Amino acid sequence: MTNATLDARHSPANLEDILAPDGSAWNEMTGEVIALTPTPLDRQPSAYVQAAWKDRNHGAVAAVTVQAIRNDDTLALRLQWQAAQPKRSIDDINAYADACAVLFPANGKDTDLETMGSPERPVVAWHWRAGTDAPFSVTARGIGTVERSAEHQLQARSRWSDGRWQVVFARSLESDGLSLSGGTDIPIAFAVWCGAGSERAGLKSHSPEFHQLRIN
Amino acid sequence: MNTAVTSKHQFAMVFDLNKCLGCQTCSVACKTQWTRGNGMDAMWWNIVNTIPGKGTPRNAFELGGGYKDGQPVPGELPGKAEWGEAWDFEYDKVFFRSADDDEDNRDYLRPRAHDGKPPRWGPNWDEDMGGGEYPNSYFFYLPLVCMNCEKPACLEACPRDTIYRRDEDGVILIDEERCHGYRFCAEACPYKRIYFNEQRAIAQKCISCFPRLEAGVAPACVRQCPGRARHVGYLDDPDSHISKLVNTWKVALPLRPDFGVKPRVFYVPPTMPLAFDENGDFDENQSRFPMEEMRKLFGADVEQALATVESEREKVAGGGQSELMDILISRNWNDMLGPYKQDPGKLVRPPRRGND
Ligand code: SF4
Ligand code: SF4
């Protein structure tokens, strides 16, 4: 699997244009196709989950196309993936919504992605779930330790059409969370949950290694 | 993982199925107390099902979960159509209809599902079904709450340690702040006692009225039971009704012990009437309820438990004394409440909040 470098090139577009999931600002940006694989079942921190999914596939989404863009004060990422049977909300007791996330080392440099971070080197993630208005920011210090928090500087917009999700995350460059000040490459990873396949929690497709985000 | 089985006390209940009336007062007591919030309309943390019947949700005990040979058994989580939704009773139409409305077409409080159609399923839907062929028809009522299991499949299924056992009494609780709504717990509970709040995207279940317990008050379902079918107390206290019924007299049994979760709600199995033979006489050797099904529900010890109850009953009928009958009858109702005898009406309570 090759390690992609995602260029967040400067754009004169304003925030609204960038947030539009099918907006023209994105047309000019090259996309990277990131291969995704199912998370290893033996890493699920619950014997029940391991037993229940032993004979059942997860990690249905095999690839996500990612683009990055920046203007004077915002960084945005657009994730696109195929979803023939979208789950746009949790509309029943046994329904799970489609979702995606972008992960970074909290220090902007390094962490262990396989274990979802460690107590010393947490992972931060931006998490979007279909049917909810606001994305949330997540911190994890190991598998099963995800803590959610609302991050006011983080926004997301989504659109599903023609069998495909388009999700844009946008965050101001200056914010308390992860430093996006530019100049260096930030490791970045991706995860997608297929609601139609009852994927949730650690049952997802992910990029098993970090790629690089370059904020120009 | 937070799987410690130790707690200072072991909170437990015994439901006497010979006394349960199937009145659902317990269910309504719980509903009124706990499940009136957003997204909780269709929740029945306490429900009483008619046996034989498919239960709540439909086929509740055939959906997997629990353990077999110590290994977790995959479970299914049915959708809301299988649990039964909260019905609308068209109150507006009935109470506020115009006087000019057609007299022949009077509305009444008809239940409606969300799609406006008559309901097709609901909690205890098989209320009137029963089993057997007349005159050997049979049924009984089976109340269900969270069993605060010693080996809680729900707790062990959660990948993020959201469910925990209280140190003071072993009550199993879901931390709503921590819950991300993954619902592995709901799949894993073999009694299907975990509900999902769609609006809040969290799992919720019976909390054994823990705020009442902390004030020395018995759970609402226990205090309000007109059948006086419910005993509450500590399994680890050898003098408690619970321990006497479970350990000393061995007449209170776990439901579906094959589920492997070691529940801490125990049932005094129902002594059913004798069957009629083909001449219309009682068949002294044959209960109306098939013993095979009784064994499936309460395990291999059920025959002995039934025999003990019957023989102690006969003893008292013959003028004798029986500690077991005294406990089961509990002439002084407060005796059934173990350490939770406090009358909630006598507590000094904080003022009600506006939206309660
Ligand atoms: S309130 Fe008591 S008698 Fe009535 S259904 Fe519940 S357990 Fe049975
Ligand atoms: S009855 Fe179900 S929800 Fe309650 S502790 Fe046991 S497994 Fe958990």
Side-chain angles (χ1 to χ4, degrees):
Chain A
M1 210 166 284
T2 52
N3 199 277
T5 300
L6 210 60
D7 260 325
R9 294 210 336 255
H10 199 284
S11 158
N14 65 26
L15 180 61
E16 275 311 304
D17 290 343
I18 291 175
L19 273 171
D22 58 345
S24 57
W26 293 102
N27 294 347
E28 298 139 35
M29 301 295 154
T30 48
E32 292 288 342
V33 179
I34 309 279
L36 303 178
T37 57
T39 46
L41 193 59
D42 59 8
R43 290 215 163 235
Q44 299 300 317
S46 150
Y48 172 80
V49 173
Q50 293 189 15
W53 287 75
K54 188 163 46 75
D55 303 318
R56 194 175 167 181
N57 291 330
H58 72 281
V61 177
V64 59
T65 303
V66 188
Q67 292 159 288
I69 207 170
R70 64 159 293 187
N71 64 14
D72 286 342
D73 34 44
T74 304
L75 169 83
L77 298 162
R78 180 167 79 166
L79 276 62
Q80 302 185 90
W81 71 93
Q82 300 299 322
Q85 284 179 276
K87 271 286 181 187
R88 294 156 178 268
S89 65
I90 301 174
D91 59 359
D92 202 342
I93 288 167
N94 55 1
Y96 305 90
D98 288 335
C100 68
V102 186
L103 294 83
F104 310 93
N107 62 12
K109 294 189 194 76
D110 55 357
T111 184
D112 190 354
L113 184 60
E114 228 175 291
T115 59
M116 288 285 283
S118 62
E120 303 78 38
R121 292 185 302 172
V123 168
V124 292
W126 301 342
H127 190 286
W128 165 88
R129 189 177 74 210
T132 50
D133 308 330
F136 36 79
S137 170
V138 148
T139 306
R141 296 179 164 79
I143 283 175
T145 66
V146 166
E147 302 285 348
R148 290 175 183 167
S149 59
E151 189 179 329
H152 297 302
Q153 307 285 358
L154 181 65
Q155 298 181 64
R157 297 272 170 82
S158 63
R159 178 171 190 268
W160 182 88
S161 73
D162 298 330
R164 181 180 62 167
W165 275 112
Q166 297 178 305
V167 177
V168 175
F169 289 102
R171 209 208 73 179
S172 60
L173 293 167
E174 304 300 329
S175 165
D176 287 346
L178 175 77
S179 166
L180 299 172
S181 52
T184 50
D185 289 358
I186 302 172
I188 184 169
F190 305 92
V192 175
W193 287 262
C194 169
S198 299
E199 293 181 17
R200 71 272 200 200
L203 301 165
K204 61 189 177 193
S205 338
H206 72 157
S207 59
E209 280 161 29
F210 277 120
H211 300 270
Q212 303 297 321
L213 171 65
R214 181 166 298 162
I215 303 171
N216 291 301
Chain B
M1 290 243 98
N2 174 19
T3 54
V5 291
T6 50
S7 56
K8 192 160 157 268
H9 288 297
Q10 297 173 4
F11 172 85
M13 302 211 241
V14 169
F15 297 164
D16 185 348
L17 301 185
N18 291 304
K19 293 171 85 179
C20 176
L21 313 160
C23 63
Q24 308 279 5
T25 306
C26 46
S27 308
V28 173
C30 177
K31 183 100 213 134
T32 315
Q33 181 105 54
W34 298 118
T35 58
R36 293 164 65 186
N38 288 343
M40 301 174 97
D41 305 21
M43 289 190 194
W44 294 97
W45 289 356
N46 180 108
I47 186 66
V48 184
N49 286 317
T50 309
I51 303 287
K54 292 196 166 60
T56 310
R58 194 190 331 234
N59 298 322
F61 296 168
E62 270 130 55
L63 299 172
Y67 299 90
K68 193 165 172 55
D69 305 324
Q71 295 306 309
V73 177
E76 283 169 53
L77 180 59
K80 58 188 158 199
E82 305 294 291
W83 289 82
E85 50 186 300
W87 302 331
D88 175 26
F89 286 88
E90 304 185 320
Y91 291 112
D92 283 356
K93 267 190 174 168
V94 174
F95 294 135
F96 304 109
R97 69 199 292 273
S98 136
D100 309 331
D101 282 358
D102 178 4
E103 278 291 321
D104 297 331
N105 197 14
R106 279 224 176 270
D107 268 310
Y108 60 96
L109 291 178
R110 243 187 249 130
R112 291 288 182 218
H114 75 281
D115 56 6
K117 296 198 180 127
R120 279 143 288 179
W121 185 259
N124 192 25
W125 187 259
D126 330 89
E127 159 93 66
D128 308 337
M129 306 297 283
E133 288 291 321
Y134 177 84
N136 286 322
S137 321
Y138 59 85
F139 75 96
F140 65 86
Y141 296 115
L142 184 74
L144 291 157
V145 291
C146 168
M147 312 256 186
N148 294 306
C149 303
E150 190 175 317
K151 191 165 167 52
C154 59
L155 183 156
E156 295 182 13
C158 178
R160 46 185 284 103
D161 288 349
T162 297
I163 306 183
Y164 62 101
R165 185 197 311 274
R166 271 159 52 110
D167 286 337
E168 54 268 57
D169 50 17
V171 166
I172 306 284
L173 294 175
I174 300 173
D175 180 345
E176 292 190 355
E177 303 286 316
R178 239 190 114 61
C179 179
H180 281 183
Y182 297 148
R183 291 164 268 172
F184 297 116
C185 57
E187 288 179 9
C189 171
Y191 304 107
K192 288 292 165 284
R193 283 297 85 211
I194 294 192
Y195 285 81
F196 180 64
N197 186 321
E198 269 181 71
Q199 278 184 38
R200 295 178 58 201
I202 55 170
Q204 295 181 305
K205 70 166 187 72
C206 162
I207 55 173
S208 302
C209 287
F210 75 87
R212 293 170 63 111
L213 301 185
E214 287 168 8
V217 179
C221 57
V222 174
R223 251 196 104 81
Q224 302 225 353
C225 173
R228 301 295 183 234
R230 294 179 173 223
H231 304 255
V232 65
Y234 296 145
L235 186 59
D236 51 292
D237 170 6
D239 296 326
S240 66
H241 275 196
I242 305 292
S243 177
K244 290 223 164 132
L245 294 170
V246 174
N247 297 321
T248 313
W249 287 95
K250 300 189 181 350
V251 294
L253 306 169
L255 179 66
R256 290 301 301 257
D258 56 307
F259 287 161
V261 290
K262 301 197 179 156
R264 285 187 184 157
V265 170
F266 302 87
Y267 295 83
V268 179
T271 54
M272 303 301 285
L274 292 174
F276 291 104
D277 63 19
E278 52 275 28
N279 305 321
D281 298 322
F282 282 129
D283 177 348
E284 297 286 341
N285 300 315
Q286 190 68 43
S287 156
R288 277 193 215 169
F289 198 100
M291 195 46 70
E292 202 182 310
E293 284 183 39
M294 204 66 105
R295 272 194 292 268
K296 187 170 175 197
L297 283 167
F298 303 109
D301 299 334
V302 71
E303 267 155 299
Q304 183 55 51
L306 288 168
T308 304
V309 171
E310 306 253 19
S311 78
E312 291 299 301
R313 246 186 220 165
E314 268 161 41
K315 205 196 270 179
V316 173
Q321 291 286 321
S322 161
E323 182 199 38
L324 175 60
M325 286 301 120
D326 287 344
I327 292 172
L328 290 176
I329 295 167
S330 284
R331 291 172 184 81
N332 180 351
W333 161 66
N334 267 279
D335 292 346
M336 303 178 76
L337 306 180
Y340 305 111
K341 293 186 177 57
Q342 173 68 48
D343 177 350
K346 300 218 167 83
L347 285 174
V348 180
R349 282 184 286 185
R352 288 169 77 92
R353 282 173 299 162
N355 59 356
D356 271 357

